[in-house]
Amino acid sequence: MALLEIDAVTKRFGGLLANHEVTFQVDRGEIVGLIGPNGAGKTTLFNCISGFFPPTSGTVRFDGTDVTGWPAERLVHRGMVRTFQVVRTFPDLTVRENVMIGAFARTNSASAARKIADEVLEFTGLAPRADVLGANLPIAQKKRVELARALATGPQLLMLDEVMAGLTPAERVQAIELIRAIRERGITVLLVEHVMEVVMPISDRVVVLDSGKKIAEGPPQEIAENPEVIAAYLGEKYRPRQEEAGEG
């Protein structure tokens, strides 16, 4: 059953068409990768889905409800939360306090928020850093704090915007393991990434954008062999000729 349904979503900024009639869905329990070259419209689409600005046209449905144009805070209380490509850790708060901010979406009690935060910190491997100020963390841990803060809201759908960007290969492996563990907790994941090698191993399905349009959707192996996807990432000269692709 679909948890998130995107139906013909279009976003214009004046004369710029950032997304054009994008349609796909994310089923409960899936990890879906949303990929595309730089400038493909991935983050714009994320913003339309997650309430940071409304689509120009089209529909966003979440858990069976039309949530098109809902503000982000309302969606968080409904069970949809996202992280940001640019890390937004509160530098003057501790790691625990950063995560507690997310927990306040579920409770008005400071003690309850602290309990939720400590459980999430344990789950994400951040417990040893609980009392460290956000400003004193390396980028990989800042990204993990933002992810932990999102988890503390108790989401049904976790939307991750380039959570792997800037990480070392070893840190990427750890992040992939954490995303799989999140799915095992029953949380559905929609993951935006620019690097195909990162998103392919963990995605059940992959949606590909190019110039604001969806150009492909399917299992990772099928997407990796898709001529349009190869051309979008590597350039037109890499597109197989029709006879070579067995279509001539």
Side-chain angles (χ1 to χ4, degrees):
M1 177 181 175
L3 177 62
L4 178 69
E5 299 170 88
I6 311 303
D7 186 10
V9 166
T10 294
K11 182 62 182 179
R12 291 182 179 274
F13 297 99
L16 173 65
L17 185 61
N19 294 131
H20 181 60
E21 296 187 349
V22 179
T23 297
F24 66 92
Q25 70 181 43
V26 180
D27 293 337
R28 292 182 187 275
E30 276 193 310
I31 298 175
V32 173
L34 180 63
I35 68 171
N38 286 329
K42 304 183 296 297
T43 294
T44 298
L45 184 62
F46 243 40
N47 287 334
C48 288
I49 296 169
S50 58
F52 285 84
F53 41 66
T56 304
S57 61
T59 304
V60 178
R61 284 184 292 273
F62 179 66
D63 199 17
T65 299
D66 186 342
V67 298
T68 311
W70 281 25
E73 61 269 21
R74 188 178 178 191
L75 290 170
V76 168
H77 287 285
R78 187 78 183 203
M80 180 196 300
V81 69
R82 55 87 58 90
T83 64
F84 292 86
Q85 186 174 346
V86 178
V87 178
R88 299 190 176 188
T89 305
F90 293 94
D92 297 329
L93 299 181
T94 66
V95 168
R96 178 183 286 110
E97 290 166 341
N98 266 274
V99 178
M100 285 176 66
I101 289 172
F104 280 121
R106 300 163 61 182
T107 180
N108 293 322
S109 164
S111 60
R114 182 185 178 99
K115 183 177 180 181
I116 292 168
D118 283 346
E119 190 278 328
V120 173
L121 292 175
E122 191 67 37
F123 172 69
T124 56
L126 287 168
R129 310 289 281 169
D131 297 318
V132 176
L133 289 178
N136 297 332
L137 297 173
I139 185 65
Q141 291 185 3
K142 286 182 178 179
K143 283 179 173 285
R144 189 160 289 214
V145 168
E146 186 170 13
L147 191 155
R149 187 170 61 219
L151 287 174
T153 68
Q156 295 185 67
L157 175 66
L158 177 63
M159 299 172 59
L160 303 175
D161 191 355
E162 298 210 13
V163 73
M164 312 277 187
L167 303 188
T168 67
E171 290 166 346
R172 285 180 179 178
V173 170
Q174 293 173 349
I176 288 170
E177 291 174 352
L178 179 56
I179 292 168
R180 286 176 173 149
I182 289 167
R183 193 255 291 274
E184 289 172 4
R185 285 193 158 201
I187 299 171
T188 304
V189 178
L190 177 60
L191 176 71
V192 162
E193 279 295 338
H194 170 66
V195 182
M196 289 179 67
E197 291 82 357
V198 169
V199 74
M200 291 302 190
I202 56 173
S203 298
D204 299 305
R205 286 186 300 113
V206 177
V207 176
V208 189
L209 296 185
D210 186 30
S211 301
K213 299 179 181 180
K214 185 180 82 171
I215 62 169
E217 178 180 356
Q221 186 60 40
E222 178 182 305
I223 292 300
E225 298 172 354
N226 184 298
E228 278 196 87
V229 176
I230 294 170
Y233 271 91
L234 301 178
E236 191 67 25
K237 67 180 181 179
Y238 288 93
R239 185 194 298 272
R241 293 196 292 185
Q242 285 190 330
E243 60 267 25
E244 293 173 343
E247 297 172 2

